[in-house]
């Protein structure tokens, strides 16, 4: 099973709800967070920068699929999921609603590792994930 944390914003490329990290960067860039929120979000993002590979940084076999691709956590990535939930709670405190989606199919897999999967959603997944 896979999990994805999403906001209410829709990405122009993938046509599905934007993910947790887009919402976190929007908080830092556009919402004037408190000093505590800013440092907590930066600390969590820093942890992910060290402990989560950026799948878009790799040469993908299907480059035309990449702009439409979205990331999913594996349900076995317990520490990553716990930190993602922390980040979601901070956003929720700022009225940025983050919901969690679980699924068994992610779409056309472009990249995967022990923690995550990057996939272009199948056509029947084009509703707001």
């Amino acid at each position: 099973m896979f999990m994805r944390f999403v906001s209410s914003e829709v990405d122009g490329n993938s046509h599905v709800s934007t993910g947790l990290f887009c919402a976190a960067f929007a908080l830092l860039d556009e919402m004037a967070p408190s000093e505590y929120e800013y440092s907590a979000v930066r600390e969590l993002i820093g942890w992910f920068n060290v402990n989560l590979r950026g799948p878009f940084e790799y040469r993908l076999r299907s480059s035309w699929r990449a702009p439409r691709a979205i990331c999913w956590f594996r349900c076995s990535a317990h520490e990553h999921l716990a930190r993602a939930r922390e980040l979601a709670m901070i956003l929720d405190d700022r009225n940025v609603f983050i919901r969690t989606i679980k699924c068994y199919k992610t779409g056309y897999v472009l990249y995967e590792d022990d923690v995550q999967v990057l996939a272009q959603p199948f056509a029947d997944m084009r509703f707001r994930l």
Side-chain angles (χ1 to χ4, degrees):
M1 183 178 297
F2 303 93
M3 293 179 70
R4 180 167 165 75
F5 297 86
V6 298
S7 72
S8 60
E9 299 293 318
V10 176
D11 180 76
N13 290 319
S14 66
H15 304 289
V16 297
S17 298
T18 59
L20 178 67
F21 297 112
C22 289
F25 285 116
L27 171 69
L28 295 177
D29 295 340
E30 302 164 11
M31 299 181 73
S34 70
E35 191 174 314
Y36 165 77
E37 291 167 331
Y38 184 86
S39 63
V41 170
R42 291 303 308 164
E43 182 180 321
L44 286 164
I45 289 172
W47 185 89
F48 279 109
N49 283 338
V50 171
N51 295 286
L52 183 68
R53 291 182 178 159
F56 290 100
E57 297 168 5
Y58 293 88
R59 185 174 180 173
L60 302 174
R61 291 178 301 198
S62 300
S63 60
W64 66 272
R65 290 188 192 270
R68 298 170 188 86
I70 56 177
C71 294
W72 298 84
F73 285 108
R74 294 183 182 277
C75 283
S76 58
H78 301 290
E79 187 170 4
H80 291 77
L81 290 170
R83 302 226 183 208
R85 287 184 186 102
E86 282 182 56
L87 190 51
M89 287 175 48
I90 294 168
L91 290 163
D92 189 54
D93 288 344
R94 287 300 303 252
N95 296 318
V96 178
F97 179 66
I98 300 292
R99 60 190 173 109
T100 305
I101 300 168
K102 296 179 183 179
C103 74
Y104 289 99
K105 66 177 186 173
T106 60
Y108 299 102
V109 175
L110 304 176
Y111 171 85
E112 62 183 322
D113 58 35
D114 293 341
V115 174
Q116 65 187 330
V117 169
L118 173 70
Q120 179 190 354
F122 293 128
D124 64 349
M125 296 172 69
R126 287 287 177 198
F127 57 90
R128 290 190 180 160
L129 287 173

